[in-house]
Amino acid sequence: MTTEEIMDELRYENEKLEKENEKLKNEIDSLYEDNRMLNVKHDELNFEYEDAEYDRDSLY
């Protein structure tokens, strides 16, 4: 195998890895967004629970 062939193979492998890296970065970004949305929903439900608990306690 010549030096040029080796370099071509390495370039090809590098391109594949860069594409995979970009795909994984996008997946991580998506997971962070999903996590953020779940945290917001959790906070909303927690506030609703606290409000309901306050309303319940005020009945007594």
Side-chain angles (χ1 to χ4, degrees):
M1 197 177 255
T2 68
T3 303
E4 189 60 37
E5 290 172 330
I6 294 170
M7 291 300 292
D8 286 343
E9 190 173 317
L10 289 172
R11 279 188 209 98
Y12 173 74
E13 288 299 318
N14 187 46
E15 286 178 17
K16 281 186 3 185
L17 290 172
E18 286 176 351
K19 287 178 184 177
E20 182 67 17
N21 189 35
E22 188 62 33
K23 179 182 167 188
L24 291 171
K25 283 181 181 180
N26 290 338
E27 189 174 328
I28 288 169
D29 288 346
S30 177
L31 290 171
Y32 275 126
E33 181 63 20
D34 291 348
N35 187 53
R36 188 187 72 75
M37 293 301 294
L38 287 171
N39 283 333
V40 167
K41 186 63 177 173
H42 173 267
D43 289 344
E44 289 172 355
L45 291 172
N46 197 39
F47 288 135
E48 287 178 27
Y49 174 79
E50 289 174 355
D51 286 347
E53 199 172 49
Y54 176 77
D55 290 344
R56 184 199 68 202
D57 290 345
S58 67
L59 295 175
Y60 296 110

